[in-house]
Amino acid sequence: MIVVDPVTQEIIEGKLAATVDEMGVVMARTSMSPVIYEVLDFACGLLTLKGELVAQMNGITLFTGTFGTQVKSLIALYGDDLEDGDILLTNDPYSGGTHACDFAIVKPIFFDGRIMAYAINVAHYLDVGGSVPGSLAPNAISVFQEGLRLPGVKVVHNDRFSGEVLRIIRENVRLPDIAIGDLTAQVATVRVAARRMGELCRKYGIDIVEAAFNHLLATSEKQARAAIAALPDGIYQAQDIIDGDGVTTDPIVVNVAITIAGDRLTADFTGCPPAVQGPINCAAGALQSAVRTIFKALVAPQAPSNEGWFRPLTVIAPQGSVFTAEKPSPTGWYYEGSVHASELVWKALAKLMPERFSAGSYTSLCVVYISGKDAAGQPFIHIEPQHGGWGASKDADGANALIALTDGDTYNYSVEVIEARFPLIVRRYALNVEGGSGAGRRRGGFGVIRDYEILEDGASAYCSFGRTETAPWGIEGGKSGTLNLLQVEDSAGRVTSFGREPHIALKRGDLVRIITGGGGGWGEARAREAEHVRRDVEDGYISEETARTLYGLEERMTG
């Protein structure tokens, strides 16, 4: 067994972190889609020859747990049929991925004639074909309506692009130049990773580098086990409701049982319903990732992510459920389903570790697709996640206007970029204090209101909002948060409201209004300190009536 000295170990780990960060910089600077270079809807990672994650840049939270499952599926598919200079592509949700819009580019990294690691870049494409612009029909009932799937192809062989694969992509997407531009940007990032790993191996030798990988994973595993062992053994349960699937508005009841036993944690989703008709299903890889997100927050929220942290975690779920969908169940809006798996684990553990977890949040990314043609007659597709209110914690009010749990280190567009790139004007961007948030000794954070004016006729929109009926949950007497909502206001002032809607016809002058909800409260509202209530009134966060009726401010001042 090779033992790596501590200094060398630290240098190698620093090189890994620097490499994935460099991959991210290259991607943001060279990609074509604003959803990639502005929103940062992508992530990059490095994995061992067995497909175990050793380093990942900050990025989409949900990709943390899919890298390993995607690479392992490709290893199983290709076996020894890989050569130096090969680069693979997969966007298959049923092979460890998410949905067809997320293209995973994977490069086996060779040194001295054998694979020593894999580099991966997963990025969201604006369009991959399918029944609607943007490919995510909210009422899809089959994956075959959700665009092109390429479940493990060699997009590059002997360091040359496959003309056949590029032609297939070009002929099946609505924005081919942008798609190919994003693809070449992804390929550039994994080539950067290969160069950097080659530098490491030439300096220290491949055996030392692989030993450093193993030490990193073992150390993280040890720390994770110690964190779990410090918690009380027991079974912790939670239940939640998904508000419809895009085809029907029927509530979907989901549940989890978390078992902590010694230094292991098991998340059991037995009892969750079968895959639903609509596209809020997620496949098993996305479920793993959704649970890992919360597990990581439990054991080491600030430490860099790698596979070692998750070795003490077991996820159980029956095949073919809403969280483990199989072909041909649609998964286009998988993040609207998988976030409920994250929320379930979060909810089950919140009281166990109140210093880490808060009350319920607005949850849904509240994504709206707006498409049409600009003034020059060129097609456009605008996709953007929205920020919202997070729940209160035991000792602090909830965060205002923070990105949802699934998306991690991502952003919405700046107003200037939207107005420069699309035939839209942002008329309002403000905290959603009108809807409020969950009252409590510590109140929930506020969501946002964002108004887009449509500048061209013939545009359309679609959306799939969660938490439109079931509000974010409070804790220890804290009130529930508020709901998400999409509104369209026409030039005559008529307002129509939507939740999950497959087609909204728009015309010049219409306002598309996105309203995100506020988080749940923690503790009884009347236990909130009077000075905090007064400050909320002075800041315009709550009305004087709310201060009286919910927080009892006058009673406490005169009692």
Side-chain angles (χ1 to χ4, degrees):
M1 178 179 175
I2 297 174
V3 177
V4 184
D5 70 84
V7 174
T8 301
Q9 181 73 36
E10 187 72 18
I11 292 172
I12 291 174
E13 290 183 19
K15 183 73 168 183
L16 295 177
T19 297
V20 293
D21 285 347
E22 184 181 1
M23 293 170 71
V25 170
V26 170
M27 187 64 183
R29 289 183 175 179
T30 60
S31 59
M32 298 285 286
S33 301
V35 74
I36 295 177
Y37 64 73
E38 288 289 336
V39 175
L40 305 186
D41 194 346
F42 73 96
C44 304
L46 287 165
L47 302 94
T48 69
L49 62 88
K50 294 181 180 179
E52 294 182 297
L53 181 72
V54 290
Q56 179 189 340
M57 60 163 280
N58 290 337
I60 295 290
T61 308
L62 259 177
F63 294 162
T64 297
T66 60
F67 283 173
T69 55
Q70 287 173 306
V71 170
K72 288 173 185 175
S73 74
L74 292 171
I75 293 172
L77 180 65
Y78 278 93
D80 296 329
D81 186 23
L82 290 172
E83 300 174 4
D84 198 0
D86 286 348
I87 298 178
L88 309 176
L89 185 163
T90 182
N91 66 333
D92 183 29
Y94 314 112
S95 299
T98 50
H99 61 179
C101 284
D102 289 335
F103 270 38
I105 300 299
V106 176
K107 179 175 176 57
I109 300 174
F110 283 77
F111 190 82
D112 282 347
R114 66 180 178 92
I115 297 173
M116 56 82 57
Y118 290 88
I120 186 170
N121 176 315
V122 179
H124 183 102
Y125 280 37
L126 281 176
D127 182 271
V128 294
S131 61
V132 297
S135 309
L136 302 188
N139 61 344
I141 59 173
S142 168
V143 72
F144 298 111
Q145 296 170 287
E146 296 179 330
L148 175 68
R149 285 185 301 119
L150 296 165
V153 298
K154 289 186 180 181
V155 68
V156 174
H157 181 62
N158 196 26
D159 281 326
R160 297 185 64 181
F161 275 99
S162 165
E164 291 87 350
V165 174
L166 295 187
R167 283 195 295 275
I168 289 170
I169 294 171
R170 278 190 172 277
E171 291 301 319
N172 282 276
V173 306
R174 292 175 175 84
L175 302 171
D177 290 342
I178 289 177
I180 298 303
D182 291 339
L183 176 63
T184 55
Q186 287 184 281
V187 167
T189 67
V190 295
R191 284 173 168 166
V192 165
R195 287 198 296 271
R196 300 297 175 250
M197 291 303 97
E199 292 167 0
L200 263 184
C201 290
R202 282 189 291 274
K203 183 173 183 178
Y204 296 105
I206 190 171
D207 292 336
I208 291 292
V209 172
E210 290 180 341
F213 288 175
N214 293 332
H215 179 79
L216 171 62
L217 297 174
T219 300
S220 298
E221 177 185 1
K222 182 179 179 180
Q223 292 173 347
R225 291 189 183 279
I228 299 168
L231 299 173
D233 286 0
I235 300 175
Y236 306 89
Q237 298 179 315
Q239 187 178 88
D240 201 356
I241 294 175
I242 303 174
D243 293 330
D245 65 358
V247 175
T248 77
T249 58
D250 297 341
I252 303 162
V253 180
V254 290
N255 56 269
V256 73
I258 304 296
T259 300
I260 297 176
D263 63 357
R264 294 199 59 84
L265 185 148
T266 300
D268 189 348
F269 292 88
T270 300
C272 288
V276 293
Q277 274 191 292
I280 57 87
N281 301 297
C282 70
L287 172 65
Q288 286 278 348
S289 195
V291 177
R292 287 180 173 197
T293 299
I294 312 306
F295 183 84
K296 186 65 166 56
L298 176 70
V299 300
Q302 303 301 324
S305 187
N306 64 66
E307 191 80 18
W309 294 109
F310 308 115
R311 287 174 175 173
L313 170 66
T314 301
V315 179
I316 299 172
Q319 288 184 325
S321 76
V322 67
F323 294 138
T324 53
E326 298 177 313
K327 183 181 176 181
S329 294
T331 64
W333 294 83
Y334 81 96
Y335 48 85
E336 291 296 328
S338 64
V339 70
H340 283 275
S342 296
E343 281 270 304
L344 283 168
V345 179
W346 184 288
K347 188 176 184 180
L349 296 174
K351 290 184 180 179
L352 181 64
M353 188 170 278
E355 68 273 18
R356 292 274 174 87
F357 297 108
S358 62
S361 76
Y362 81 116
T363 303
S364 174
L365 278 173
C366 297
V367 172
V368 177
Y369 277 75
I370 303 175
S371 63
K373 292 185 177 180
D374 61 22
Q378 296 300 310
F380 75 91
I381 300 172
H382 173 58
I383 170 179
E384 181 182 19
Q386 299 294 338
H387 296 64
W390 280 57
S393 61
K394 186 176 182 180
D395 299 316
D397 293 340
N400 302 324
L402 188 66
I403 198 66
L405 181 63
T406 52
D407 248 29
D409 190 23
T410 63
Y411 307 89
N412 60 2
Y413 290 83
S414 69
V415 171
E416 293 78 9
V417 168
I418 289 175
E419 296 180 350
R421 288 295 305 261
F422 308 106
L424 305 169
I425 293 179
V426 179
R427 291 299 186 189
R428 174 166 56 159
Y429 188 26
L431 288 179
N432 178 23
V433 296
E434 300 167 20
S437 64
R441 184 179 64 84
R442 295 292 171 258
R443 59 160 176 76
F446 295 103
V448 302
I449 300 176
R450 195 148 157 118
D451 284 357
Y452 305 84
E453 181 181 345
I454 307 300
L455 298 184
E456 298 293 333
D457 286 324
S460 65
Y462 60 85
C463 63
S464 189
F465 285 18
R467 293 268 185 248
T468 55
E469 298 290 339
T470 306
W473 36 274
I475 295 180
E476 294 184 355
K479 300 293 185 183
S480 297
T482 58
L483 301 174
N484 303 311
L485 181 65
L486 176 69
Q487 293 181 335
V488 174
E489 180 179 343
D490 65 19
S491 57
R494 291 183 292 265
V495 176
T496 308
S497 299
F498 304 94
R500 303 192 197 275
E501 187 64 31
H503 180 77
I504 305 168
L506 300 171
K507 60 184 182 300
R508 183 183 177 90
D510 285 348
L511 284 180
V512 176
R513 177 172 299 124
I514 299 171
I515 302 171
T516 65
W522 192 306
E524 296 289 342
R526 288 177 178 257
R528 187 170 176 82
E529 297 86 338
E531 61 269 26
H532 289 182
V533 180
R534 282 197 299 269
R535 186 168 62 244
D536 282 350
V537 173
E538 292 169 359
D539 290 341
Y541 289 159
I542 64 173
S543 66
E544 292 183 0
E545 181 182 0
T546 297
R548 289 192 300 271
T549 57
L550 283 181
Y551 291 98
L553 181 59
E554 286 186 354
E555 295 175 18
R556 284 186 282 162
M557 296 299 293
T558 59

